[in-house]
Amino acid sequence: MSTTRRRTLLACAVAAVLVTLAALAVLPRGAGDAPPRYFFGTLRTDPGKARLEHRNGIGVAHLTIRWEQFEPGPDRYDTRYIDHIRHDLRTLHKAGARVEAGVGINHPPQWLDRRFSDAAFTDEHGDRYTDTANVVFSQKIRDAVRRYIQALDSKVGLDNFWSIRVGVNDHGEFTYPPPVPTDGRPGSDYWAYDRYAQSASPSPGRARSVPLNPFPGWRPGERQYRGASFTRAQAARWYAWYLAALADAVNWQQDTYRSLGYGGLLKVLVPGAGYYPGDYATAVREYFDGRHVGGLIGRGVGYFKTIEQIRPGKNVQIVTTSLVNGTGVPQANGCRPTDAAVRLDSSSDARVRRWSSARWVTAIARREGFAVAGESAGPQVHPYYPGVMRDAARQVRTCDLKGLMWAFDGNLYDGTPGSSLRDYAAMIHHLT
């Protein structure tokens, strides 16, 4: 073969490759290796069911890790428990699942409270809450949490997790702890009375990124402060600080994972609808007095005020954990394009109170530019029923959610109405 002919054939081959690559570059969305439109998973996933579920379109598995078991003593790690985590993680990955982790800072070890007894969440009545770690006000607790996460990274590997769940309360969600159930007591405990929340000046033990309490010693409902009248505007300023501290705890967690090189999804869990603008207006009038405003104010679940304070990022998702939770008129209503035009203040209260929790949270998060995903609330919140998957699918589709985690894996197999594996597979097929 002549040199000229070889050059001609080579040029033709190169041209053919370039044409093929150009064609691949303009394939329509959904072709080739494009990612799926939605993700689907379960909470409390049984690793032994993961392969079956993957064949039915359920691609995300949830793995719960408990800090109290991982680190039963300071800097002392349970190797058997860690081996158990590694085994479940390998099983889930072999089944083809992406793994979402609850890393367990909402399950703190008992030694944490013994070691930092001045750092527990404390309400205005002096009651302490130790069922979750006080990552809001205590730098000591934040440092202990960071050491735990570093140990988790070195012994298990954060990069093994497709996503990590982020929150503050005992369920790992974006709220303060619930009120202490005490007879004859106002129903809205405020968790800002530990030593560090009340600090009037910087100190080594208080969370460095949380602003100083503007009115240390003031308690909701009081009309006087240090011998002078206390205005409603001052009460609102105190409460704004209280909400900002809660949001700072979420931002601190994001920063911690990123500083360790984690690049997966960070999912901020938002339960229920929280309180509405009209409730906030009432709380200001009453100086946030718990006898008149109810427990939601103390839990800080004014999402129209707090979600905007979460630091955005391409890997941050807001997760409404309240799909099909029985709210809305009609029940479990989905989102509408006109939701974006509705004002998020008391003038729209009558309208938005008819929205489902998922619709309300989605509208707030969308305005702040966040991607939004969903979780079903679970039958312990509102019983499942025939057609519950259809209602969940409508909320996913109309709210343009990134995906759905179903609560709970066991409900796909225990005869719960409307919640079988077959129901879930049919819903996934319908949406995809």
Side-chain angles (χ1 to χ4, degrees):
M1 181 182 296
S2 69
T3 300
T4 301
R5 181 170 175 75
R6 281 198 301 269
R7 288 176 177 170
T8 301
L9 290 174
L10 178 60
C12 291
V14 170
V17 169
L18 292 175
V19 169
T20 301
L21 291 174
L24 288 173
V26 296
L27 282 174
R29 183 173 177 82
D33 294 327
R37 174 65 182 85
Y38 305 104
F39 67 80
F40 298 97
T42 63
L43 296 180
R44 302 178 189 169
T45 306
D46 178 353
K49 298 287 200 308
R51 193 175 297 276
L52 169 65
E53 292 174 3
H54 191 268
R55 290 199 297 267
N56 281 273
I58 304 171
V60 180
H62 171 236
L63 179 66
T64 296
I65 301 170
R66 299 182 74 94
W67 183 10
E68 60 190 353
Q69 292 180 255
F70 191 99
E71 189 181 8
D75 300 318
R76 181 168 60 84
Y77 305 102
D78 187 328
T79 55
R80 293 184 63 182
Y81 181 66
I82 293 169
D83 287 343
H84 174 71
I85 294 171
R86 290 169 174 164
H87 174 269
D88 284 351
L89 193 55
R90 284 194 300 270
T91 301
L92 294 171
H93 283 157
K94 286 181 180 178
R98 294 176 288 180
V99 178
E100 176 167 311
V103 300
I105 64 174
N106 56 313
H107 299 295
Q110 292 184 356
W111 61 260
L112 191 73
D113 184 49
R114 293 194 299 267
R115 195 173 193 183
F116 307 114
S117 59
D118 59 350
F121 280 114
T122 306
D123 69 14
E124 69 269 35
H125 312 291
D127 292 320
R128 300 168 72 254
Y129 196 94
T130 59
D131 287 352
T132 190
N134 183 2
V135 294
V136 178
F137 297 111
S138 172
Q139 189 62 45
K140 294 178 179 179
I141 299 297
R142 288 187 178 189
D143 291 344
V145 168
R146 181 180 175 84
R147 287 192 296 270
Y148 160 60
I149 293 173
Q150 286 175 313
L152 179 63
D153 188 27
S154 67
K155 298 175 185 302
V156 176
L158 295 179
D159 287 342
N160 283 306
F161 306 135
W162 170 70
S163 63
I164 293 176
R165 301 163 71 81
V166 176
V168 173
N169 71 9
D170 51 323
H171 293 291
E173 298 170 316
F174 183 35
T175 83
Y176 280 104
V180 173
T182 306
D183 292 338
R185 181 79 67 72
S188 187
D189 295 344
Y190 293 85
W191 297 102
Y193 293 89
D194 63 83
R195 172 184 174 184
Y196 302 111
Q198 287 295 301
S199 179
S201 60
S203 67
R206 70 179 304 280
R208 289 185 286 270
S209 53
V210 174
L212 291 172
N213 189 330
F215 304 107
W218 181 78
R219 284 169 166 72
E222 294 179 345
R223 311 296 176 95
Q224 297 281 317
Y225 181 68
R226 296 181 176 177
S229 295
F230 196 71
T231 67
R232 290 186 176 90
Q234 288 174 309
R237 181 182 165 197
W238 178 90
Y239 189 71
W241 163 81
Y242 183 69
L243 295 185
L246 177 64
D248 183 81
V250 167
N251 291 331
W252 172 81
Q253 289 176 66
Q254 290 187 38
D255 292 343
T256 297
Y257 290 119
R258 288 173 181 147
S259 71
L260 295 173
Y262 181 70
L265 284 177
L266 296 170
K267 301 175 77 172
V268 181
L269 308 182
V270 178
Y275 61 79
Y276 294 91
D279 302 319
Y280 173 76
T282 299
V284 172
R285 286 196 302 270
E286 298 294 338
Y287 285 77
F288 299 92
D289 190 331
R291 293 170 298 181
H292 304 290
V293 301
L296 292 180
I297 302 291
R299 299 197 70 178
V301 290
Y303 304 131
F304 59 99
K305 288 184 170 293
T306 57
I307 287 177
E308 68 183 14
Q309 299 184 61
I310 297 173
R311 192 172 301 125
K314 64 180 181 181
N315 65 332
V316 178
Q317 284 185 0
I318 300 298
V319 180
T320 169
T321 65
S322 302
L323 271 65
V324 290
N325 69 343
T327 59
V329 182
Q331 182 176 298
N333 55 53
C335 301
R336 296 184 179 179
T338 53
D339 292 353
V342 176
R343 294 171 62 90
L344 301 183
D345 59 28
S346 56
S347 66
S348 64
D349 255 32
R351 179 175 181 179
V352 299
R353 286 177 190 270
R354 297 172 63 87
W355 291 3
S356 65
S357 300
R359 183 179 179 182
W360 170 241
V361 171
T362 297
I364 296 168
R366 284 270 186 267
R367 293 180 194 212
E368 301 304 322
F370 285 103
V372 187
E375 290 183 6
S376 62
Q380 82 285 359
V381 174
H382 188 266
Y384 287 157
Y385 49 89
V388 67
M389 292 277 187
R390 178 193 63 237
D391 290 346
R394 181 178 63 253
Q395 291 185 312
V396 169
R397 178 177 52 78
T398 60
C399 295
D400 193 28
L401 303 183
K402 295 298 183 181
L404 170 66
M405 298 293 287
W406 191 255
F408 297 93
D409 193 74
N411 297 129
L412 300 182
Y413 307 97
D414 65 3
T416 299
S419 181
S420 69
L421 176 62
R422 183 175 181 178
D423 291 324
Y424 201 7
M427 184 254 273
I428 292 170
H429 179 75
H430 172 72
L431 283 175
T432 56

